[in-house]
Amino acid sequence: MFSPRVLKSASSLMHRSFSLSHMCRQGKAPDMSEVRNRLREIVGASTNWRDHQQALAERSSLSLYLAKSQEELPAKTMKDSFIEAHLPLGTQPGLREKYLNYHNSVRFGRILEDLDSLAVLICYSHTWNKELQRSPLSIVTALVDKIDMRKNIIYPDCDIKFTGHVTWVGKTSIEAKMHMSQYHDGAYSDVLDATFVMVARDPENKRAAFINPLIPEGAEEEAIFQQGEINKTRRVELSTASLLKVAPTAEERTLIHNQFLNTLDTRTVSFRSRILLPNSVWMEDAKMKGLEICHPHERNIFNRIFGGFLMRKAYELGWANACAFAGCRPMLVAVDDILFRKPVEIGSLLLLSSQVCYTEGTHIQVRVHTEVLDPLTRQHSTTNVFHFTFRVEKDVPAVVPQSYGESMLYLDGKRHFDETMRGQS
């Protein structure tokens, strides 16, 4: 969560920054529609499909303005990228329909879309060159490191406030942290904290591009920056220890073998004969699938499918799977380690597969895998992997793997669940 002192000092620059970018309306912070309009201005995108394609084709000329090294770029501070944006659900009733779900709460998938847009704008604020009309950088989402929920209920008729700024910078990658709160009973209360990792690329989104270095000011900002370094190291370690690269640990191997022994049929004592213990479900029976045709309406400012749209669809499928599995409404606890492996092109057939891969007590760990299918070549390409932790009001059945592949999904789910629980404690 953000330090109040950092936010207070950053807020002193907020209105001046927004007035320069035409986002300040009579002293008010922008709403989310203005955030998206500003993103279109920054890259020269259009709301019209034909004009949008032409504008992006013309962006290649902006390569002349790319820095050849990070040293050429002026250093920025955390205050330079600070943004406050509002979602006026309380004061603009016409907006509520888009965000309302049938539980009379807010569709969290829509919040994911807003967080993604805001994270991109935060990073553009860090890299903005006021001498240029358009940014030569293409800034895209690489990873949603973590979203931690502080509150289960999001009211559909109360204003929401987002704040955030850049917290760590590499040579071509940026970490942005955001905080969401909601006005209720006369005060704002915490709803969630989110950490996104973005990458900067050239105007045609083909190769990496350098970004401005970040200079922390004071001990508190230095601690925030160092946490970004820790986060980077943790991501590298998790990637190195991936079950797709190395064997499970001795403890994990023992766990899987004990599961296998517990499901052997004692009457036959055969490797092929397996039975379920009471209150258990085979992993094969805890799946749910979906399909999306990717239309131009869901494009982002770079003419690819909007990452927030992909997150919304994956979350809603994961939520539906957890709901069907538990037989009651699940509450989101955390979103963890959403990796964007490759962009999704307009016109793609997007296949989504949700799997309950681990359960413990009242918690359900869901993995959603998305891939694109080329209908002409029938080739499948993985685009994203999503991890969601849900909680329900009763204990849920245990999921039990049968194959080795399912066992790896089970262990991967347990790792993500354990990491989430450590962050909650």
Side-chain angles (χ1 to χ4, degrees), residues 79-129:
K79 293 189 290 293
D80 290 330
S81 61
F82 177 87
I83 288 179
E84 176 179 321
H86 287 199
L87 184 60
L89 298 179
T91 51
Q92 293 186 16
L95 186 63
R96 294 175 196 164
E97 286 292 313
K98 178 181 177 182
Y99 286 83
L100 187 67
N101 66 25
Y102 71 93
H103 293 294
N104 199 35
S105 182
V106 169
R107 293 175 63 182
F108 189 74
R110 294 292 189 193
I111 299 299
L112 289 174
E113 291 181 325
D114 291 342
L115 288 170
D116 192 51
S117 294
L118 186 62
V120 176
L121 184 57
I122 286 171
C123 294
Y124 271 121
S125 298
H126 174 81
T127 61
W128 183 246
N129 181 350

Side-chain angles (χ1 to χ4, degrees), residues 145-159:
D145 192 334
K146 196 75 172 176
I147 299 177
D148 287 315
M149 302 300 297
R150 307 301 180 192
K151 188 177 181 181
N152 288 328
I153 298 175
I154 306 177
Y155 301 99
D157 56 355
C158 297
D159 286 357

Side-chain angles (χ1 to χ4, degrees), residues 242-244 283 286-289 314-315 317-319 321-322 336-337 339 341 352-358 364-370 382 384-390 405-406 408-414 416:
S242 168
L243 291 166
L244 293 172
M283 283 184 67
K287 291 181 178 180
M288 192 172 285
K289 296 182 181 291
Y315 167 77
L317 181 64
W319 183 93
N321 195 11
D336 179 34
D337 197 22
L339 183 62
R341 296 181 181 275
L352 301 96
S353 179
S354 172
Q355 173 73 68
V356 175
C357 51
Y358 181 76
I364 305 170
Q365 188 70 35
V366 180
R367 179 183 190 268
V368 179
H369 175 269
T370 61
T382 296
N384 300 86
V385 179
F386 304 82
H387 300 275
F388 304 104
T389 306
F390 296 98
E406 287 183 344
M408 296 304 100
L409 287 177
Y410 179 90
L411 292 178
D412 188 56
K414 185 177 187 303
H416 281 93

Side-chain angles (χ1 to χ4, degrees), residues 261-311:
L261 294 178
N262 289 335
T263 58
L264 282 179
D265 188 340
T266 55
R267 295 171 300 176
T268 62
V269 195
S270 168
F271 283 108
R272 294 184 179 182
S273 182
R274 307 278 294 279
I275 59 171
L276 275 172
L277 293 175
N279 198 34
S280 299
V281 176
W282 293 122
M283 283 184 67
E284 177 65 29
D285 299 324
K287 291 181 178 180
M288 192 172 285
K289 296 182 181 291
L291 166 68
E292 291 291 331
I293 302 174
C294 299
H295 297 291
H297 179 261
E298 305 300 343
R299 69 185 184 274
N300 63 14
I301 54 177
F302 303 114
N303 216 31
R304 300 295 186 23
I305 295 301
F306 175 41
F309 170 78
L310 300 175
M311 285 193 279

